[in-house]
Structure formats: structure tokens, C-alpha cells
Amino acid sequence: MKTSVIGFPRVGANRELKFATEKYFRNELTEEQLLGTAAELRRLAWERQQKNGISFIPSNDFSFYDGMLDTLFLFDLVPEEYRSLGLSPLDTYFAAARGYQGESGDVKALAMKKWFNTNYHYIVPEIDEGAQFRLVGTKPFDEYREAKALGIETTPTVIGPYTFLRLAKFRGGRTRCDLFESAVLAYSELLSRFEGLGCKWLRLDEPALVYDLSDEDVRFFKSLYIALLSHKGGVKVLLGTYFGDVRDSYCEIVGLDFDGIGLDFIEGRQTAALIEKYGFPRDKVLFAGVVNGKNIWRNHYDKSLSIIEGLKKQGTETVISTSCSLLHVPFTLESETKLPDDVRAHFAFAYEKLEELRDLGSLADGEHSAALDANRRLFDGERYEKNTAVLKRAEAVSDSDYTRLPAFEERERIQKAEFGLPVFPTTTIGSFPQTADVKANRSAFKKHEIGEQTYKEFNRRKIAECIAFQEEIGLDVLVHGEFERNDMVEYFGENLDGFLFTEKAWVQSYGTRCVKPPIIWGDVSRRKPITVEWSVYAQSLTKKCVKGMLTGPVTILNWSFPREDISLRESTLQIALAVRDEVLDLEKNGIRIIQIDEAALREKLPLRKTDWYSEYLDWAIPAFRLVHSGVKPETQIHTHMCYSEFTDIIPAIDSMDADVITFEASRSDLQILDSLRENDFRTEVGPGVYDIHSPRVPSVQEITDVLRKILTRVDSGKLWVNPDCGLKTRGTEETEKSLKNLVEAARTIRREYEVK
């Protein structure tokens, strides 16, 4: 049977693209050199897939930053403020992604949000009033020809018009309907150009079809593709869907003139039932997503083969596919030299998933192999030894453990008197820049090149410098800087039992930002205090409050590769109990403000609203409450969330019962504030006043204007002033300038408030 890959990781097995791009930003690499690195990474990816016999190898899945941004540029929809900078095409592209501050002008970056239910961030397209789709870019064609020159036939992959328009932001009161005709014409030209190149298949990805769709949504999608497919010519068109099922539009999809349809059998809970109920057309090819593109556990061959055999019995021509792009998993186990063989046997990264596709293709053709026998032995055996103490503790949790007393309003009164903070208190989200010396110190300690005392003395010096700087500029609530931490999840996982860690299993989060998610291998517990020593030391240096900084249980789960042998609810409960121990230890040691970040709260929220509470929020929100329910009323609990769409789950967020919540808001034009007001949000709130994912420095006036705008929606007694996320990825100079401007802006607003 034929096999297909939806997309392949693009940063390189050793993050070559990340390092090359960052050198380009620092003017240490020419554009030609950067393009050369990109071409080499594409070649390696295509050749690896060809080596494994993949029948449908994608092209145009590569990006310097993001596929949605690529599509914006492909179709000439770039907002005027970026065009008018007069930069080169590549620098204009990066200006839209990261913002720009220089001789040519000063522009903010486009908004950034989570890509469906993943930890990958996409750039939100913004479409000017009057702009129309116009095919001007050549990237998809260039990369198709590039692969062709290597002797590799690929399936070009482009984000489809429905998903692009659904996720885009329209300026000037326009709607998607205003761009209908130009979208059809531009995508039709795309098809025609590929036909001229001799392309056999073109994949149009429409993951937005797995959302809840209204009748109007379905009509719009259907109208788009009736018009578009009438121009497809000799190119076969494959509709790609993933991250769920297409229950709201299945009948319309199979009735359209697609040559192939990609369906997700991993996250698509109703995919098999839809095919059984309505059938699948004999004149189309089904691309069955049975190899998980988001998790790293081995494929259970017998289960996948059962699905494939069922489709064959129905007479469906089937291609075995990944469930989604492999962008969301690391490159290869070949780089992992420290994992024991009996552990490695359970994992499959991107390279290994290609081998799984190859195996499944052969097995589906009736070729029994040793691979099937080995796979059966793997799933028949016991994987790990259970921790009975953890299981008993989780079973003993009662309803009262999820409730903090006294109620919010009484705690708020107590805390106002306890802390005596000024109106509009200033703080940061937690981390300070991870400079080269910080990384070198941590690396030397891990490699046993320096001892623990040397390592700790260095970190204490950095903490002391950090505290001194914050006091100097006048921040009200301080942080210790997190110089001991690599990643906000990996750091905690390293200090909890039940986690495994990799050496080079990097996954792209956004742009050049990569993370190395830990693997939840067994039952989770805390073996000793994790952050207490650093927080207590920082607090000893100042009379101001220093926040204890923790990562919440839902984010630890969502930013790890979770187990598949127990439910996400069970795993999260175990993690919550471990974090609860850390919270109570911080409080016992004199830390009066504790921030428990839930940056990834929304990440595993079901894409369909009907499943939000029953399948997720009913246990995710209580897990957070369990973490902090045991603290005193005088202890103030903060949390932080970023780069997701939170406006529609505001009531659930309020029920987390934190005392202060900070949000990413700068890139989303403070849209969340209207939802806070509409839902009578009671929690004190710190909407981020500037974007830390951009190197630009906001002026005092800019931040002051943002605060004035916020105060039209947020009560003055509930507003905190802070950046929109942690500062670890930023440079020292830009961070210091930005924070000084932030403090000065808060002082300006305080003076205005006092006058009133």
C-alpha cells in the first residue's frame, strides 16, 4: 500500500535552521548562506522520506517562520505597514513575524496564537481593507522544482482558503465573503501553475474543518471548493484534514470533486463511524491518518492494521498516512544515546515514524515480518512498575481538596492590607534573559565540568544582580530570574519522579524557538523541594516580595509527551499533587506570592465546544485549584497564560480561583479585555503591555497609551502592569530598556489616577 506524510520537521536534527536564522538576525550570516542551509535541510528531509519508500512526500511544508505567514506572502496580502518599510522580501517577512525597529520604521509583529490544539504557534494573518488574493509568490513552485531536480516527486502542500480565511483577522470591517472571488481565482491559478510543472497531486490543508461548523460555514466551504475544483485541470487535489474529525461537513466533503481526502483516525473520534454510516466514494482515495503525528509512542500495528483492513473490506482505496504533520515530534531517536534500549523500543520520532509507515504498508499488503512480531511483544509486555504510594494518594483526594478558603472577596481584602502595594503594581512574568554565561554555567554543571558549589555561587550572583536591577528601576513585585532553569517544563520534570529526558529531541514551538519536551514515563511524584532554595535566597536580598515561580500541572502535562496507557486526567492529578507539595513548602519558607503558570491551559481543550467541559475543563480547572487550595489567605496566588484564544473560556479561567492572572494581550490588541468585562471577571489581572517575542523596545508613551486603553475595560483597583510573557529569550539591553519604560509608564498612569 502507498504511504503519505503530511509534513516533516524543518528546524533540522540539530536545530541547524534555528542557529542559522538567529545568525542572520545578528548579521553574522548572509541571506545566501541562510537560503543554502534551508535548501540542505529540505534535501535531507526529502531523501529520508524517499529512502523509506514514502509515496506522497510533501513539499512546501518547510518555512523560515510559519506556514500561515508564508501563505499571507504567497497571495500578496501583506499589510501595508510592512511593505512600506522598504526592506528586502525576506526581511519584510521577518518584520511581520518579529516586529521591526530601525531606520526604515517601527512596526509591531503580527499576532501569534496556538495552532489548534498543539504547542506550535502560528502567525495570525491580518488583511488590509481593499486587499485581495493575488498569486505573486513562487515558494511552493520553487520547492517543488527543487525536489524534482533531486529526482523526487513531491506533493506540494498549501494551507487551503477556508482555513486561511477562518484564522485571518480582517481590517476595516471586512469579512471572508469579501475575498471569496479573489481567493478562488488565486488558488485556481496555483493549480494551473502546478499543472504546468507536471505536478501530479496538490494537497490543500483544511484543518479548520474539524472545528464546530455552522450551516453558514459549511455553505461557504462548499461554495469555495465547487468554484475552485472546477479549475483543477490535470492536477489531482487532495483535501487534508487533521486534529479531529469532520462530522459537520463529511457528506459535503465526499460529494465534492476531490481526488483524495485525508482523515484523522487518531484524534478524529468519529472518523471511523462517519465512514461506516455514510460510506466513502469509490472514485476517491482515502488518506488514513493512523500514525500519530503528535506523540512519540510506538504505533500499535495490530490496531492500525485493523482500521486499514476495515477500509479495504469496504472497497476503499487507501493510503496509509500520518495523522498530522510530523512537525510536532522530534527528528530522530538516532541522536538519543543515553536512553536504555528497552526504553527506546517504546518511542518513535519523525524518522522512526517513516519506518512505521513503511512497515504498515508492507503488512497491509500481507507481508508478515519480524517487525510485526516485535511490535506485538512490545505491547504485550509490562512497560513500567507502578508507584503504589502515588496511586493511593491520588485515590484519597476528596472534593474539599479542590476548594480554597476563605472565598475570593475575603482573600482580596486580606491581601490588600497584607502587601500594601501601590495602585497598578508592576512585576514581570518570571524569567530574565538566559545569556551565554548562564547557559554555559548550566551546561558545565550538567557535564560535571564544575562542581555544585561553583554552579550555585554563579546563580546566586546572577540572582543578586537581577534583584538589584529590579529594585533600582522600581518594580513592585520581584522575581529571582530563573537562571537555574533550562525550560519551564523540562526543569520541573527533571526534579520529579516519573519523567524521562532526551538529549536532542527538539520540537519547534514558534519561529526559532524550540523546546525539548520531557516524556511522562510512569507515575509522577516530587522527591524533594525544587525551587525553595533559590526563592528563599532571592527573598533574603530584598524587603520587597519575591514571587515563587512554578509551572502548573496542566502545562507540565501539555508540554510533555503524555502517557497513552492512562488518561490525561489521571496523569494531571498526579502532577498536581507534586506541585501542591512545592507550593506549600514555598509558603512554609516565607514566600508570600507564588505564581503557578498555566501557559498551556487551552492547549488540549477539545476543538469542539460540546466536549470542552466533559472531556477537559471539568478536570483541568480543578487540578489547578488542587495545587493552591491549601495555602493561607494571606498568600497570593498568581498564574499566567499566553498565546492562545482565551476569550471563550473566561468563566472557566475565573473559576481557577487564582488571586491574580496575567495574560498575553499585546499581540492580540487587548481583545481579551472585552471578554473579561462581559463575564464580570473578578480576578485581578495583568494584560501584557508589550510583546516580549519581538526585539523591539516599546517607548514609555506606547506603554502609557496601552494602559489608558486597558483602564477603559479593567477596574483600576484590579490592574497589574507587566510584560506579556517571560523574558528568557530576550537580550539584556532590550529587556532593561523595556522594563524601565514599563515602570515609568506605570508611574505616569498612577499620577493621572491620583489627579482624578
Side-chain angles (χ1 to χ4, degrees):
M1 291 187 71
K2 292 181 178 180
T3 53
S4 171
V5 170
I6 293 177
F8 205 73
R10 54 203 186 212
V11 295
N14 294 298
R15 294 178 292 165
E16 292 90 342
L17 184 64
K18 166 189 170 65
F19 297 125
T21 307
E22 290 175 348
K23 284 183 178 180
Y24 178 76
F25 294 156
R26 298 192 299 266
N27 297 315
E28 297 171 6
L29 210 67
T30 66
E31 180 173 328
E32 184 180 3
Q33 289 171 315
L34 178 60
L35 295 176
T37 298
E40 177 64 8
L41 291 173
R42 290 193 293 268
R43 180 186 69 80
L44 291 171
W46 289 326
E47 290 181 350
R48 174 64 67 154
Q49 292 173 81
Q50 184 185 53
K51 178 182 176 182
N52 282 278
I54 303 301
S55 315
F56 292 84
I57 297 172
S59 60
N60 197 47
D61 55 333
F62 174 87
S63 177
F64 279 114
Y65 211 94
D66 171 60
M68 287 290 285
L69 185 63
D70 293 344
T71 309
L72 186 77
F73 275 73
L74 175 67
F75 290 115
D76 198 31
L77 295 167
V78 184
E80 180 58 32
E81 63 262 34
Y82 304 108
R83 298 174 187 268
S84 63
L85 292 171
L87 303 174
S88 70
L90 184 60
D91 287 345
T92 303
Y93 174 88
F94 284 130
R98 305 172 67 240
Y100 176 85
Q101 199 167 41
E103 294 180 1
S104 300
D106 185 353
V107 294
K108 294 182 180 181
L110 290 171
M112 186 165 66
K113 290 184 180 178
K114 293 289 181 72
W115 181 244
F116 293 83
N117 54 2
T118 74
N119 185 31
Y120 175 77
H121 303 64
Y122 74 96
I123 298 294
V124 181
E126 291 193 23
I127 301 176
D128 281 340
E129 186 174 7
Q132 296 289 341
F133 281 81
R134 194 167 64 93
L135 182 61
V136 297
T138 62
K139 179 180 180 294
F141 314 115
D142 295 341
E143 292 182 13
Y144 174 78
R145 284 193 294 258
E146 189 179 317
K148 194 86 167 178
L150 295 170
I152 301 172
E153 176 66 29
T154 60
T155 303
T157 300
V158 179
I159 292 171
Y162 177 80
T163 294
F164 183 82
L165 289 170
R166 173 149 184 165
L167 300 183
K169 179 180 178 181
F170 300 96
R171 298 175 175 177
R174 306 175 79 205
T175 70
R176 61 188 180 182
C177 295
D178 296 318
L179 287 101
F180 179 95
E181 290 186 12
S182 69
V184 169
L185 289 173
Y187 274 89
S188 297
E189 185 179 350
L190 183 85
L191 286 166
S192 177
R193 290 277 300 275
F194 273 119
E195 182 180 20
L197 293 174
C199 178
K200 298 177 182 178
W201 284 84
L202 172 68
R203 180 185 186 102
L204 294 177
D205 278 353
E206 294 287 10
L209 293 174
V210 307
Y211 280 131
D212 289 315
L213 302 185
S214 65
D215 291 343
E216 181 185 351
D217 290 329
V218 175
R219 284 194 296 272
F220 184 78
F221 161 76
K222 187 176 178 180
S223 298
L224 265 177
Y225 276 94
I226 287 174
L228 174 56
L229 294 174
S230 67
H231 299 285
K232 72 176 184 177
V235 178
K236 292 183 177 180
V237 177
L238 163 61
L239 175 76
T241 70
Y242 38 85
F243 302 141
D245 60 62
V246 292
R247 68 189 75 165
D248 295 333
S249 56
Y250 179 81
C251 292
E252 286 77 12
I253 288 171
V254 297
L256 290 166
D257 192 23
F258 293 111
D259 300 282
I261 298 171
L263 300 177
D264 184 348
F265 284 81
I266 300 295
E267 292 187 274
R269 290 186 297 110
Q270 293 190 24
T271 297
L274 288 167
I275 294 172
E276 184 176 351
K277 181 176 181 179
Y278 299 107
F280 190 85
R282 296 290 182 92
D283 63 341
K284 303 185 193 305
V285 181
L286 173 60
F287 288 70
V290 297
V291 172
N292 195 332
K294 285 171 63 176
N295 212 344
I296 46 79
W297 300 90
R298 280 281 175 186
N299 184 277
H300 195 315
Y301 285 177
D302 280 325
K303 288 184 178 180
S304 295
L305 290 170
S306 176
I307 294 171
I308 296 163
E309 287 303 314
L311 295 171
K312 287 171 69 176
K313 286 179 181 178
Q314 297 178 44
T316 303
E317 184 180 352
T318 305
V319 172
I320 303 171
S321 178
T322 57
S323 64
C324 63
S325 172
L326 297 179
L327 172 71
H328 310 292
V329 295
F331 259 79
T332 175
L333 277 167
E334 294 172 4
S335 303
E336 305 304 321
T337 61
K338 296 180 181 179
L339 290 176
D341 289 343
D342 60 336
V343 172
R344 285 167 54 94
H346 290 275
F347 303 138
F349 296 172
Y351 282 6
E352 291 73 36
K353 289 181 187 293
L354 300 179
E355 296 166 3
E356 290 184 327
L357 287 166
R358 182 190 62 203
D359 288 346
L360 288 169
S362 298
L363 292 168
D365 284 337
E367 299 178 20
H368 187 89
S369 69
L372 179 60
D373 295 333
N375 189 264
R376 285 172 172 167
R377 286 194 300 272
L378 188 70
F379 283 92
D380 287 342
E382 287 291 329
R383 186 175 60 76
Y384 82 106
E385 185 176 344
K386 295 181 179 179
N387 186 324
T388 54
V390 171
L391 298 177
K392 285 182 179 179
R393 186 183 181 193
E395 289 173 3
V397 173
S398 65
D399 290 345
S400 62
D401 292 320
Y402 294 105
T403 303
R404 184 180 175 194
L405 297 173
F408 176 84
E409 290 76 11
E410 177 64 12
R411 297 199 314 266
E412 187 176 35
R413 183 189 63 78
I414 292 171
Q415 290 167 14
K416 291 284 188 186
E418 172 76 13
F419 296 111
L421 294 169
V423 66
F424 315 129
T426 56
T427 189
T428 66
I429 301 306
S431 58
F432 265 63
Q434 292 267 320
T435 51
D437 59 339
V438 171
K439 295 176 183 177
N441 179 60
R442 190 166 56 239
S443 176
F445 178 59
K446 285 193 171 186
K447 294 175 181 177
H448 306 290
E449 296 170 356
I450 60 173
E452 184 175 10
Q453 183 176 350
T454 302
Y455 166 73
K456 286 187 173 181
E457 285 176 354
F458 174 89
N459 282 339
R460 288 191 187 101
R461 287 197 302 273
K462 298 298 291 189
I463 290 171
E465 292 170 5
C466 185
I467 294 293
F469 168 73
Q470 293 173 83
E471 286 199 311
E472 177 190 338
I473 66 172
L475 282 166
D476 300 305
V477 175
L478 315 186
V479 297
H480 78 281
E482 303 181 15
F483 303 108
E484 78 285 3
R485 306 184 190 185
N486 41 18
D487 173 81
M488 64 182 289
V489 170
E490 186 177 10
Y491 173 75
F492 283 92
E494 287 173 344
N495 289 278
L496 296 171
D497 288 331
F499 283 82
L500 289 178
F501 299 91
T502 58
E503 297 168 77
K504 297 182 179 180
W506 296 99
V507 178
Q508 185 179 19
S509 178
Y510 65 86
T512 63
R513 170 75 170 143
C514 298
V515 295
K516 191 151 59 70
I519 299 166
I520 304 178
W521 174 259
D523 297 320
V524 176
S525 61
R526 190 191 72 147
R527 54 184 174 269
K528 63 179 182 179
I530 303 169
T531 66
V532 175
E533 177 183 356
W534 303 115
S535 296
V536 169
Y537 175 70
Q539 186 63 77
S540 73
L541 301 173
T542 179
K543 293 181 180 179
K544 291 186 174 183
C545 279
V546 176
K547 289 192 287 188
M549 300 300 305
L550 305 176
T551 303
V554 178
T555 295
I556 290 176
L557 177 96
N558 286 347
W559 286 356
S560 301
F561 290 117
R563 291 166 62 178
E564 293 184 338
D565 58 323
I566 66 172
S567 69
L568 298 178
R569 178 197 296 257
E570 292 172 275
S571 234
T572 306
L573 176 58
Q574 293 180 6
I575 300 169
L577 289 169
V579 179
R580 177 186 174 97
D581 291 342
E582 188 73 12
V583 169
L584 295 177
D585 269 351
L586 283 169
E587 182 185 60
K588 185 171 65 177
N589 283 275
I591 303 304
R592 299 188 297 156
I593 298 180
I594 302 171
Q595 182 170 310
I596 309 161
D597 288 339
E598 284 293 15
L601 176 70
R602 191 187 172 107
E603 197 161 297
K604 283 188 170 58
L605 184 76
L607 297 177
R608 294 182 177 276
K609 292 184 179 181
T610 50
D611 301 330
W612 280 2
Y613 282 89
S614 62
E615 293 191 9
Y616 187 70
L617 292 176
D618 279 351
W619 56 262
I621 299 299
F624 182 85
R625 292 203 302 265
L626 176 63
V627 164
H628 70 81
S629 63
V631 301
K632 301 171 186 175
E634 294 83 3
T635 299
Q636 191 172 75
I637 298 297
H638 290 222
T639 190
H640 172 69
M641 300 174 188
C642 59
Y643 293 101
S644 287
E645 181 58 65
F646 292 115
T647 55
D648 47 8
I649 58 168
I650 291 299
I653 293 172
D654 211 10
S655 71
M656 293 168 73
D657 204 21
D659 300 306
V660 180
I661 296 183
T662 54
F663 290 98
E664 176 277 318
S666 61
R667 279 202 178 193
S668 55
D669 197 29
L670 305 173
Q671 291 175 344
I672 195 170
L673 300 181
D674 292 326
S675 295
L676 297 181
R677 186 173 56 182
E678 290 165 6
N679 287 278
D680 297 320
F681 196 71
R682 62 178 181 170
T683 312
E684 293 186 26
V685 62
V689 296
Y690 78 89
D691 175 21
I692 67 88
H693 293 81
S694 170
R696 64 184 296 277
V697 175
S699 67
V700 173
Q701 185 64 53
E702 179 182 323
I703 298 174
T704 304
D705 289 343
V706 169
L707 288 170
R708 292 191 184 109
K709 186 175 181 180
I710 291 172
L711 282 167
T712 64
R713 297 169 171 86
V714 176
D715 182 79
S716 59
K718 289 185 175 292
L719 178 62
W720 286 64
V721 182
N722 47 263
D724 69 359
C725 205
L727 301 165
K728 66 183 287 186
T729 61
R730 298 271 50 92
T732 299
E733 184 179 356
E734 67 197 61
T735 295
E736 291 180 350
K737 288 180 179 178
S738 297
L739 290 180
K740 287 176 181 177
N741 290 350
L742 179 147
V743 172
E744 186 55 41
R747 288 171 175 162
T748 299
I749 294 296
R750 281 177 196 153
R751 289 192 292 269
E752 293 179 4
Y753 178 76
E754 289 168 359
V755 170
K756 291 180 182 179

